[in-house]
């Protein structure tokens, strides 16, 4: 058997039964990384192989500590893992070794995971294209001349190529959804607050980003999510969520699924994106669900303005000290400077207005979810683009007026903290993969995962069409 193409839960079961050792799994993982990573550049700061094999042998001789016992994982290079550098893709932090684990990482280690390195990300996680001056670009394993997406692009490419069987990621503006769609894997942005952030800095103002799981099956997403979730008394708004893995194989009821299309023309799509997404809607109908096309439920321009204002406000809050130091400012990429300068210029009235629009949109979704269980949008508005681009400047003849306008399609869910699962939906005529977002009301994480699992049982896209690399 090819142990690296097994689902994470299958690997875990084999380890528990003694059919596979952690040492064998680590040896195979390191061999795959040596063979593939120089081409795709998904994993960075890989630990010494002898040290990792020693940790695997320790796991083989120790009682099981959780379902991840003895399993390799690499942490997205925005989070701290003790003993590993956290560069955040920036020369300002390259080589700075973390002394402690972030909360999420500590939970993964407590469940038995062996941290082997980090996964690549854009500088400060800004932009859905993974490249930075410290580690370079991550390439799409389905076409190495194309982007792997981002900001969890390194994780997605590592999953697609079998270098990892599960991965963590984070998502402010599609970073668990766009790269999953572009690498033919699953990624989940959970209900905001269910995976608590670290209790540092401001913990009340910025409710946009969250960590979440990535995998090659929804069952693996659920199993990993159950480790990542859970309230922490030090973190406001953190919540305890019901376990998702134990009910993952329960068939979902007949659902009412609404296709939001191109938001009445507000979201331009590259040729083929609408077609492959609507084909997926047809598949959901074949699975017994009721599907229909919906009119745009909210003003796209108002939502976009709310989003970019709240995002700039958040980014400026995190990076203003680096910006204030002229020597450090010189190392900030243009996207970071743009965000910081916008954020610093905002008044309290500007921020309040943006949050009021966000509140209006949330109120509108509560009515939408009275008549529909799931809403659907593409996970990206175009196919993976040239890896040497900074960002696409046009889509279908429409000019993109910011570095991130091309990802506007992920804003409706991200702005108000709704749970979303990216499911892979196949390949275009160009041979490149695509995905769609399954969006549910707050707290519907388990139901979305059940729907995704039903989809996976009918399609098995990651297993049916792995990259030839």
């Amino acid at each position: 058997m090819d142990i690296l193409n097994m689902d994470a839960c299958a690997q875990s079961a084999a380890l528990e039964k003694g059919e596979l050792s952690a040492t064998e799994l680590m040896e195979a993982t390191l061999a795959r990384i040596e063979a593939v990573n120089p081409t795709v550049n998904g994993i960075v700061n890989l630990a010494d192989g002898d040290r990792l094999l020693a940790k695997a042998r320790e796991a083989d001789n120790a009682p099981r500590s959780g379902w991840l016992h003895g399993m390799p994982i690499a942490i997205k290079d925005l989070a701290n893992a003790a003993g590993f550098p956290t560069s955040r893709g920036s020369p300002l932090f390259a080589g700075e070794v973390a002394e402690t684990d972030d909360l999420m990482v500590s939970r993964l280690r407590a469940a038995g995971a062996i941290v082997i390195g980090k996964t690549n990300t854009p500088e400060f996680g800004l932009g859905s294209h993974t490249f930075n001056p410290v580690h370079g670009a991550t390439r799409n394993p389905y076409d190495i001349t194309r982007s792997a997406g981002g900001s969890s692009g390194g994780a997605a490419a590592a999953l697609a190529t079998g270098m990892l069987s599960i991965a963590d990621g984070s998502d402010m503006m599609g970073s668990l959804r766009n790269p999953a769609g572009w690498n033919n894997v699953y990624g989940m942005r959970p209900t905001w607050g269910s995976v608590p952030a670290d209790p540092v800095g401001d913990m009340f103002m910025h409710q946009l980003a969250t960590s979440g799981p990535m995998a090659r099956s929804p069952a693996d997403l659920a199993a990993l999510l159950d480790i990542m979730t859970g309230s922490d008394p030090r973190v406001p708004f953190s919540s305890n969520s019901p376990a998702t893995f134990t009910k993952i194989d329960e068939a979902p009821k007949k659902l009412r699924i609404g296709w939001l299309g191109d938001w009445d023309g507000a979201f331009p799509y590259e040729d083929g994106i609408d077609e492959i997404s609507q084909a997926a809607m047809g598949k959901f109908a074949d699975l017994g669900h009721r599907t229909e096309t919906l009119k745009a439920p909210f003003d796209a321009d108002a939502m976009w303005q709310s989003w970019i204002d709240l995002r700039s406000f958040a980014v400026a809050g995190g990076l203003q000290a680096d910006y204030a130091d002229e020597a450090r400012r010189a190392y900030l990429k243009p996207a970071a400077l743009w965000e910081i300068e916008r954020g610093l210029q905002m008044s309290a009235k500007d921020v309040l207005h943006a949050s009021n629009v966000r509140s209006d949109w949330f109120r509108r979704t509560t009515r939408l979810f009275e008549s529909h269980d799931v809403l659907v949008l593409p996970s990206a508005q175009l196919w993976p683009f040239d890896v040497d681009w900074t960002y696409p400047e046009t889509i279908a003849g429409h000019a993109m007026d910011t570095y991130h306008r091309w990802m506007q399609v992920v804003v409706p869910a991200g702005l108000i903290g709704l749970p979303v699962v990216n499911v892979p939906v196949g390949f275009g005529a160009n041979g490149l993969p695509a995905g769609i977002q399954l969006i549910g009301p707050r707290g519907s994480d388990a139901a979305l995962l059940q729907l995704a699992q039903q989809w996976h049982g009918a399609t098995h896209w990651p297993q049916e069409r792995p990259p030839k690399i």
Side-chain angles (χ1 to χ4, degrees):
M1 61 180 176
D2 186 345
I3 60 176
L4 297 184
N5 290 331
M6 295 167 62
D7 288 350
C9 287
Q11 289 177 345
S12 177
L15 286 165
E16 185 174 19
K17 294 174 184 177
E19 299 168 350
L20 173 67
S21 71
T23 303
E24 290 170 325
L25 180 56
M26 186 64 74
E27 287 173 341
T29 297
L30 293 175
R32 180 69 61 89
I33 292 171
E34 182 179 9
V36 172
N37 199 54
T39 301
V40 298
N41 192 35
I43 294 179
V44 298
N45 291 323
L46 182 69
D48 174 73
D50 289 339
R51 171 185 152 200
L52 293 175
L53 287 169
K55 286 185 175 294
R57 288 190 289 270
E58 289 176 11
D60 283 328
N61 294 314
R64 282 179 67 81
S65 52
W67 84 266
L68 290 175
H69 187 88
M71 296 180 62
I73 191 169
I75 304 300
K76 184 175 177 179
D77 197 26
L78 296 180
N80 291 310
F84 290 86
T86 308
S87 76
R88 302 164 70 191
S90 169
L92 293 174
F93 302 101
E96 289 192 9
V97 176
E99 296 182 359
T100 59
D101 288 336
D102 281 355
L103 174 59
M104 177 270 297
V105 178
S106 69
R107 290 179 172 182
L108 299 177
R109 288 210 215 239
I114 300 174
V115 177
I116 65 171
K118 307 298 284 289
T119 55
N120 203 17
T121 184
E123 185 177 343
F124 301 115
L126 296 176
S128 285
H129 174 29
T130 298
F131 72 100
N132 63 68
V134 179
H135 299 296
T138 298
R139 296 175 177 270
N140 193 301
Y142 287 92
D143 181 345
I144 61 171
T145 69
R146 305 294 183 108
S147 169
S151 61
S152 307
L159 285 169
T161 55
M163 293 190 286
L164 298 174
S165 60
I166 41 96
D168 74 288
S170 56
D171 186 308
M172 178 185 274
M173 195 175 179
S175 296
L176 283 157
R177 295 167 275 167
N178 153 262
W182 280 5
N183 288 271
N184 191 36
V185 298
Y186 292 87
M188 182 175 189
R189 178 191 168 102
T191 294
W192 192 88
S194 61
V195 178
D198 268 58
V200 296
D202 174 71
M203 298 187 292
F204 286 88
M205 293 293 292
H206 306 300
Q207 301 183 31
L208 297 178
T210 180
S211 295
M214 302 182 79
R216 294 193 296 265
S217 75
D220 288 352
L221 283 184
L224 187 57
L225 181 65
D226 286 350
I227 293 173
M228 300 172 80
T229 57
S231 65
D232 186 290
R234 302 167 298 170
V235 182
F237 308 119
S238 63
S239 60
N240 285 318
S241 302
T244 59
F245 180 70
T246 56
K247 298 182 178 180
I248 188 67
D249 288 318
E250 291 185 8
K253 64 180 181 179
K254 183 177 180 179
L255 298 173
R256 303 161 298 175
I257 304 177
W259 164 242
L260 291 167
D262 63 0
W263 212 272
D264 290 354
F267 302 160
Y269 295 152
E270 200 168 53
D271 286 348
I273 296 295
D274 181 79
E275 291 81 359
I276 199 170
S277 302
Q278 292 216 46
M281 293 298 292
K283 183 68 174 179
F284 281 118
D286 293 341
L287 292 172
H289 303 292
R290 193 190 82 194
T291 64
E292 68 173 304
T293 300
L294 304 179
K295 293 287 187 182
F298 199 78
D299 184 275
D301 289 337
M303 185 186 297
W304 175 251
Q305 193 64 48
S306 170
W307 171 262
I308 63 171
D309 287 352
L310 292 171
R311 177 180 168 94
S312 292
F313 177 57
V315 173
L319 294 176
Q320 60 181 329
D322 296 305
Y323 180 83
D325 184 324
E326 289 191 11
R328 296 177 69 82
R329 185 189 307 173
Y331 289 96
L332 298 175
K333 72 176 184 177
L337 294 172
W338 182 83
E339 296 280 14
I340 296 165
E341 288 167 358
R342 286 191 80 250
L344 293 178
Q345 291 170 5
M346 284 178 195
S347 67
K349 184 178 178 180
D350 294 331
V351 176
L352 179 60
H353 176 72
S355 194
N356 279 332
V357 173
R358 170 170 60 179
S359 301
D360 288 342
W361 168 228
F362 182 81
R363 282 185 281 267
R364 179 69 184 96
T365 63
T366 60
R367 296 196 297 275
L368 271 178
F369 286 124
E370 290 174 359
S371 58
H372 294 83
D373 302 295
V374 178
L375 304 175
V376 177
L377 285 165
S379 295
Q381 293 169 228
L382 72 169
W383 303 98
F385 54 78
D386 192 313
V387 71
D388 293 326
W389 293 4
T390 303
Y391 63 88
E393 297 182 357
T394 62
I395 299 177
H398 294 262
M400 300 291 103
D401 56 355
T402 70
Y403 79 98
H404 52 8
R405 186 68 174 244
W406 63 276
M407 284 299 294
Q408 188 175 359
V409 74
V410 302
V411 168
L415 181 62
I416 53 177
L418 300 181
V420 193
V421 178
N422 168 83
V423 298
V425 295
F427 293 75
N430 51 18
L432 298 172
I436 57 172
Q437 302 174 74
L438 306 181
I439 306 167
R442 284 182 58 84
S444 65
D445 305 58
L448 287 177
L449 284 164
Q450 288 171 355
L451 177 60
Q453 183 74 348
Q454 183 188 45
W455 173 265
H456 184 65
T459 60
H460 288 99
W461 275 116
Q463 293 72 29
E464 288 292 327
R465 196 158 166 180
K468 297 177 180 178
I469 191 169

